[in-house]
Every structure is written in C-alpha cells, then in structure tokens.
Amino acid sequence: VGEQVLLKCSFKSSSPITESLLVDWTYRPLAGGQMETVFHYQSVPHPITAGKFKDRISWVGNVANGDASIAIQSPELSDNGTFICSVKNPPDV
C-alpha cells in the first residue's frame, strides 16, 4: 500500500513489431465481477479516462524489447485482483 507497484508483462512475437501491435491490460476485482480495461497501448500509451485506476497507471514497457509492463501509483488494498496483459502483434497473437 502506498508504494508504486510494477506489473510485469513480457512477450515474444514471430512477426516484426509494427504500429499494429496492441497491448490491453484488464482487471477483475478479487471478489469477482466485471472485467474492466485499465490500460491500452497502440503505438503510444492510451491511459484510461475513468474508473478506479484513472490517473494511476503509467506505461513502463518497451515493445521493441518485448516488454508491455505498467506501473500503478498509490495502490490500495481494494486494488487487489487479477490483472491480465494481452498482446496482439498481427498476424501473431
């Protein structure tokens, strides 16, 4: 609680990295319920503009190095849950 948290995500692709590469981070609360998108990347980071993680997630990845990691600022116990990193690099998924 209170310290920045790094959520690591690494990937490998058999296709060259292009502007078509997509990264989506989703979150499901520990108690279950609706999945929500908390971060989107396509060519540049697209932070979310609403929801519990608004203004608290920053991009720390480098897709050229196979890194799609994010960081959460000021984490709270209520942030506990499942975070899923999805990387698509057409035609490779």
Side-chain angles (χ1 to χ4, degrees):
V1 172
E3 292 185 16
Q4 176 177 290
V5 173
L6 177 65
L7 298 178
K8 304 251 334 139
C9 176
S10 57
F11 66 92
K12 288 185 165 75
S13 179
S14 58
S15 301
I17 305 297
T18 68
E19 289 80 38
S20 300
L21 182 131
L22 294 171
V23 177
D24 280 306
W25 277 91
T26 53
Y27 164 79
R28 179 182 292 134
L30 199 56
Q34 195 72 21
M35 295 279 292
E36 65 177 282
T37 298
V38 295
F39 196 86
H40 178 76
Y41 176 96
Q42 183 174 15
S43 299
V44 295
H46 296 279
I48 54 157
T49 57
K52 71 180 288 162
F53 294 102
K54 179 182 184 296
D55 298 329
R56 295 199 296 136
I57 293 187
S58 54
W59 174 254
V60 294
N62 181 338
V63 293
N65 294 334
D67 184 0
S69 303
I70 59 173
I72 302 175
Q73 323 300 326
S74 306
E76 303 163 5
L77 285 175
S78 63
D79 294 338
N80 210 349
T82 303
F83 291 84
I84 299 169
C85 171
S86 170
V87 180
K88 298 180 180 99
N89 184 37
D92 197 11
V93 177

